[in-house]
Amino acid sequence: MSKWEPVTFEESLSFVKKVKARDYMLYLSLLDVLHRNDQIPLEAYSELSLLFRHHEDLLAELSKFRPLSCPNNVYTHGSIWMIIFLMPFLLLSLVLAFEKPLKCFLLQ
């Protein structure tokens, strides 16, 4: 197994230019996937590999950008945990937003 080496900026730029020259819509889809902040790198790589599935040469070049596997103890976000974490803030904001109107309504 060979040692992993990071991809240079020039290699990345060359790949993006090659995609843009091949298919502009594919280029726009590539940029869309890369600009999303809600994905972990392996999710983005999986989505990109699906995007390039009909372009074998680009898919082979994309493999240079594959992130290293994440260990099992790395936290990956899940929507249920985000809801549990954000629920107290939501309830507090609702209480603060309706506190004055509720007092006026209850006093009448």
Side-chain angles (χ1 to χ4, degrees), residues 61-75:
E61 195 168 343
L62 179 69
S63 67
K64 293 190 307 188
F65 300 95
R66 188 179 193 285
L68 297 174
S69 297
C70 295
N72 292 336
N73 60 354
V74 172
Y75 175 74

Side-chain angles (χ1 to χ4, degrees), residues 1 8-9 12 14 19 23 25-26 32-33 35 43 46 57 63 66-67 71 73 77 80 85 100 106:
M1 190 169 179
T8 65
F9 175 77
S12 303
S14 172
V19 171
D23 184 349
M25 292 305 291
L26 189 63
D32 179 52
V33 171
H35 282 108
E43 290 173 345
S46 297
D57 59 328
S63 67
R66 188 179 193 285
N73 60 354
H77 69 280
I80 188 69
F85 176 73
K100 190 172 184 176
L106 292 175

Side-chain angles (χ1 to χ4, degrees), residues 40-103:
I40 59 173
L42 284 174
E43 290 173 345
Y45 179 81
S46 297
E47 190 170 343
L48 288 173
S49 56
L50 284 175
L51 189 65
F52 293 117
R53 68 183 174 274
H54 299 297
H55 304 274
E56 287 81 21
D57 59 328
L58 294 176
L59 187 59
E61 195 168 343
L62 179 69
S63 67
K64 293 190 307 188
F65 300 95
R66 188 179 193 285
L68 297 174
S69 297
C70 295
N72 292 336
N73 60 354
V74 172
Y75 175 74
T76 56
H77 69 280
S79 58
I80 188 69
W81 295 112
M82 292 303 275
I83 290 171
I84 291 171
F85 176 73
L86 294 176
M87 190 60 68
F89 296 111
L90 174 66
L91 294 174
L92 180 62
S93 65
L94 288 173
V95 166
L96 292 174
F98 293 111
E99 179 182 16
K100 190 172 184 176
L102 283 177
K103 283 183 182 178

Side-chain angles (χ1 to χ4, degrees), residues 11-28:
E11 290 173 312
S12 303
L13 186 60
S14 172
F15 178 72
V16 171
K17 285 181 178 181
K18 191 180 295 185
V19 171
K20 184 178 180 182
R22 170 87 54 91
D23 184 349
Y24 191 73
M25 292 305 291
L26 189 63
Y27 167 73
L28 292 178

